[in-house]
Amino acid sequence: MLALRLTLGTHPLVLLRRLGVAAASAGAGFLLLCALGYAVGHPGESQAALRRLLWCVLPLAATVHFAVAVARTDPSTRPRTGLSALGLGPARLAALAAASTAVSCTLGSAVALLVFLHLRGDLTGLPFDGAAAELLASGQPLPPAATVTLLAVVPFAASVAAGLTLRPRRKPLPEKGAAPAVEDRAAPPRRTPAAPGGLPWGVALIAVGLAIETYAAKGTSGAAVTLPREVLAGWVLASLGLALAGPGITHLCGRLLQALRPGATRLLAGRALMEEASRIGRPLGVASAVAAATLTATTLYADGGERPYGPLTGLGAGLVLGCTAATLLMAALESRQTRADTKEALLRLGASRALLRTAAGVRALALLVVFAPLTWAVAALAVLPLRG
């Protein structure tokens, strides 16, 4: 009940973000129900039905990622002074964030079920002259257990992911009698943020994925040919590599901005990128991977390829793109909230607001200059062996 009150009694912009989570959950739930409808309407094509269900994994993952990003920026679940005395400590707030996420996703799943039943003609007759009757297995009963299970996937996965992400981390306590020794041998504070360790692994995954795709694409005659599973596996590996290398690339951008006798603007921009590399870099890497996959798919379709699942392909791709862009915006908002105290301190020290705005623009420009060519290069290398 408390989670429901927090959901309804929040700022309109926060409520709008939660409605966005509900809309994304509705899209993912509708895709899952469409996969179920195809399986019911084509009982002899189990492999095709399984492929449609696996296709729903990407929109589902994008929805869960977006829901977690919204939960991280939710002001009602942020630890504040005095809440622990009321029984709302960090663990309790993480549970509330998970419950709020479950409420939003459950609302979306309910909307998906209503839309799906309406298009099937189970509520008020077949709409659109029965255009979706064959696709959604109209007139055939749906298995209730499978329907409920598929609709529960998104709320369950999103709430569990939000709870695990926001759970408090326990720091190990020093052994008895070791505290004075620890204080005596304490190292000086680190002057520069540590670099994330995923860059070498990300580059390796990108290289392996492109190599697998190049090897598997030998003998294909173009985009109209059904793509081998090895090619799709290469795409997945290259995309995972971009997502994994995102924080390291962001940290490297910060280092490059501070090279060669930087001024105040480049110094502030570079230091901010290094500090926020893990928070901003991963969504940037995911967005770069999605953009590269989109460019590759667009090129292949322009060369004569066909959408494998009809209009559902566009719906799933649009859901992935929308959730990825929204997650990136949530990461930028979280970074802004995290750096609010630092901004106020710089203003008290005499820094002008124009300087801070210029530093923010330099950060955005540096990320665009690095990630845009990288995304284009990965997409070009991915599509090159398929057009030979």
Side-chain angles (χ1 to χ4, degrees), residues 100-176:
S100 299
T101 303
V103 170
S104 300
C105 293
T106 302
L107 174 62
S109 296
V111 173
L113 178 61
L114 291 177
V115 173
F116 182 76
L117 294 178
H118 174 67
L119 293 178
R120 275 172 48 91
D122 295 337
L123 299 179
T124 58
L126 283 173
F128 308 113
D129 297 329
E134 183 179 357
L135 180 64
L136 306 181
S138 177
Q140 302 186 33
L142 295 174
T147 303
V148 174
T149 301
L150 290 178
L151 288 177
V153 167
V154 179
F156 176 78
S159 59
V160 169
L164 292 178
T165 302
L166 299 178
R167 76 185 188 280
R169 268 70 173 180
R170 293 183 178 180
K171 298 181 179 180
L173 297 176
E175 297 181 1
K176 185 177 181 180

Side-chain angles (χ1 to χ4, degrees), residues 261-287:
R261 303 175 64 180
T265 302
R266 285 199 292 134
L267 190 62
L268 286 175
R271 188 56 178 258
L273 284 181
M274 294 174 67
E275 291 179 353
E276 301 295 327
S278 298
R279 181 175 291 109
I280 298 179
R282 197 166 302 280
L284 269 174
V286 173

Side-chain angles (χ1 to χ4, degrees), residues 43-372:
E45 301 180 9
S46 58
Q47 294 295 329
L50 180 60
R51 287 195 298 268
R52 287 173 177 264
L53 186 61
L54 292 177
W55 158 245
C56 299
V57 173
L58 293 178
L60 173 62
T63 300
V64 172
H65 195 200
F66 174 47
V68 171
V70 170
R72 289 172 63 96
T73 58
D74 197 332
S76 62
T77 57
R78 190 178 306 137
R80 291 185 293 273
T81 305
L83 289 181
S84 297
L86 300 176
L88 294 176
R92 178 66 172 171
L93 290 177
L96 285 176
S100 299
T101 303
V103 170
S104 300
C105 293
T106 302
L107 174 62
S109 296
V111 173
L113 178 61
L114 291 177
V115 173
F116 182 76
L117 294 178
H118 174 67
L119 293 178
R120 275 172 48 91
D122 295 337
L123 299 179
T124 58
L126 283 173
F128 308 113
D129 297 329
E134 183 179 357
L135 180 64
L136 306 181
S138 177
Q140 302 186 33
L142 295 174
T147 303
V148 174
T149 301
L150 290 178
L151 288 177
V153 167
V154 179
F156 176 78
S159 59
V160 169
L164 292 178
T165 302
L166 299 178
R167 76 185 188 280
R169 268 70 173 180
R170 293 183 178 180
K171 298 181 179 180
L173 297 176
E175 297 181 1
K176 185 177 181 180
V182 171
E183 293 178 0
D184 294 339
R185 298 193 303 268
R190 187 184 297 271
R191 294 187 176 182
T192 57
L199 181 58
W201 293 103
V203 174
L205 281 178
I206 294 174
V208 171
L210 293 177
I212 291 176
E213 180 190 349
T214 302
Y215 177 79
K218 291 181 179 180
T220 61
S221 58
V225 180
T226 302
L227 297 181
R229 287 175 293 182
E230 292 81 3
V231 173
L232 299 179
W235 282 0
V236 172
L237 285 178
S239 299
L240 289 177
L242 279 173
L244 189 60
I249 297 175
T250 304
H251 190 275
L252 182 60
C253 288
R255 280 190 175 276
L256 293 177
L257 280 178
Q258 298 176 85
L260 301 177
R261 303 175 64 180
T265 302
R266 285 199 292 134
L267 190 62
L268 286 175
R271 188 56 178 258
L273 284 181
M274 294 174 67
E275 291 179 353
E276 301 295 327
S278 298
R279 181 175 291 109
I280 298 179
R282 197 166 302 280
L284 269 174
V286 173
S288 179
V290 171
T294 303
L295 290 174
T296 303
T298 303
T299 303
L300 293 180
Y301 291 150
D303 289 345
E306 297 180 358
R307 295 184 178 181
Y309 307 125
L312 297 182
T313 302
L315 175 60
L319 183 59
V320 171
L321 289 174
C323 288
T324 302
T327 302
L328 188 58
L329 290 177
M330 292 298 103
L333 177 61
E334 184 184 4
S335 176
R336 180 180 179 182
Q337 293 173 351
T338 304
R339 296 187 56 80
D341 295 337
T342 304
K343 179 180 178 181
E344 294 298 327
L346 289 173
L347 291 175
R348 288 195 300 268
L349 291 175
S352 64
R353 294 187 180 274
L355 175 63
L356 299 181
R357 287 194 295 267
T358 304
V362 170
R363 292 199 303 268
L365 181 61
L367 293 175
L368 181 63
V369 167
V370 172
F371 275 93

Side-chain angles (χ1 to χ4, degrees), residues 210 213 292 295-296 299 373-387:
L210 293 177
E213 180 190 349
L295 290 174
T296 303
T299 303
L374 177 63
T375 302
W376 178 85
V378 171
L381 291 175
V383 78
L384 185 62
L386 300 177
R387 304 178 71 177

